[in-house]
Amino acid sequence: MSGHSKWSTIKHKKGAADAKRGKVFTRILKEMTVAARMGGGDPNGNPRLRAAIAEAKASNMPKDNIDRAIKRGTGEIEGVTYEELTYEGYGPGGVAVMVETMTDNTNRTTPEIRHIFEKAGGNMGTPGSVRFQFERKGYFAVDKKAVTEDKLMEVALEAGADDLQTDDPDVFDIYTTPDAFEQVRQALEKNNIPTLEGKLGQIPNLYVKIDEAKAKQMMRLMEMLDDQDDVQNVWTNFDIPEELMGE
């Protein structure tokens, strides 16, 4: 899972800037609002909302923020109505890219996403063109300074996690099935193991290696997509040379 782990490493390093911009919380708040609108405000009967709340808690979101997002979704509080759109495409070197968005104006979002792909040397594809290369999984990132590998492995695997990756020099990567996501989150919380990130996402089944020139283009594409206001998540299957991580 090197491609995902490497991009996660970079995202963790810029996490402080993301937090200041409110990007992380904004994404999760939108997800909870839409989940509540579609399936109701009771997480016990709404698996999607339950997962979104788990992600919010894993990201240390205040309870008041969570409650307000749910009430906006159920209509108890007035708010913007978002539409979900997933864009599929290719980055430099044939790298597969999935872009999950929530927007209140598709006429704005679609051309902006297409422009970003083209500007960074990629192109938008048709629905289904790359989705088959990904599998939906739960994901947690844990700072290696916060817990030993043996302790984390014991807690995570006992709670139902599929895998624990240690390739990242600073972060442990935990992967779960969507159904086990909440159980693992609760186990980490119960054992006082803080998470840097916790989410359900699209994890690649295979990876595409690209050279230095294309890697720089790919990083530019990822950053531009990540900075677009309507983008919720970006998933990709790139693998880039280890020496570029320092840059």
Side-chain angles (χ1 to χ4, degrees):
M1 297 184 176
S2 56
H4 179 73
S5 298
K6 287 177 180 179
W7 177 242
S8 295
T9 301
I10 294 164
K11 290 193 75 173
H12 298 322
K13 289 178 179 177
K14 65 191 275 290
D18 281 345
K20 287 179 182 177
R21 292 185 300 134
K23 177 73 175 181
V24 174
F25 277 12
T26 298
R27 180 184 59 75
I28 299 173
L29 288 168
K30 281 185 178 180
E31 170 62 18
M32 283 191 290
T33 298
V34 170
R37 188 186 79 221
M38 295 180 66
D42 181 6
N44 293 319
N46 186 342
R48 180 175 175 178
L49 178 60
R50 188 163 63 245
I53 293 172
E55 184 178 343
K57 289 180 177 178
S59 299
N60 301 309
M61 181 180 289
K63 186 177 184 298
D64 287 348
N65 295 38
I66 295 173
D67 292 341
R68 281 196 298 272
I70 294 171
K71 287 178 179 178
R72 276 195 294 271
T74 58
E76 295 173 66
I77 298 176
E78 190 175 342
V80 177
T81 299
Y82 296 107
E83 181 178 352
E84 295 180 277
L85 290 172
T86 298
Y87 299 94
E88 301 178 45
Y90 298 92
V95 169
V97 183
M98 289 184 63
V99 185
E100 298 174 344
T101 68
M102 285 189 186
T103 177
D104 58 352
N105 185 346
T106 58
N107 292 328
R108 176 193 67 235
T109 305
T110 299
E112 285 187 5
I113 298 298
R114 180 179 291 108
H115 177 69
I116 289 172
F117 267 105
E118 292 173 353
K119 191 172 182 179
N123 61 280
M124 283 231 308
T126 56
S129 57
V130 303
R131 186 181 296 271
F132 68 94
Q133 298 183 53
F134 296 84
E135 181 180 1
R136 188 158 178 80
K137 285 182 174 287
Y139 166 72
F140 294 93
V142 176
D143 191 330
K144 286 189 173 181
K145 296 176 183 176
V147 64
T148 65
E149 180 180 346
D150 288 344
K151 175 65 175 177
L152 184 60
M153 183 171 291
E154 177 188 344
V155 170
L157 296 184
E158 190 173 302
D162 284 345
D163 194 17
L164 173 67
Q165 295 280 324
T166 62
D167 297 341
D168 190 305
D170 303 312
V171 175
F172 291 118
D173 296 310
I174 302 169
Y175 295 91
T176 78
T177 63
D179 289 342
F181 181 80
E182 172 63 6
Q183 296 167 220
V184 174
R185 187 201 67 78
Q186 288 183 3
L188 294 173
E189 186 179 76
K190 183 179 178 181
N191 285 272
N192 298 311
I193 300 173
T195 55
L196 297 172
E197 187 176 9
K199 66 169 62 175
L200 286 166
Q202 302 290 345
I203 308 302
N205 294 317
L206 54 87
Y207 288 86
V208 175
K209 289 188 176 182
I210 50 179
D211 60 27
E212 182 175 348
K214 287 185 172 59
K216 289 180 177 178
Q217 282 183 291
M218 190 63 215
M219 296 308 297
R220 182 166 178 253
L221 171 60
M222 294 292 287
E223 289 172 356
M224 290 171 68
L225 288 169
D226 198 45
D227 287 338
Q228 206 278 345
D229 288 341
D230 299 323
V231 171
Q232 287 288 93
N233 295 292
V234 182
W235 308 102
T236 179
N237 67 347
F238 73 90
D239 191 0
I240 67 178
E242 194 68 40
E243 58 269 19
L244 289 182
M245 283 298 99
E247 299 180 20

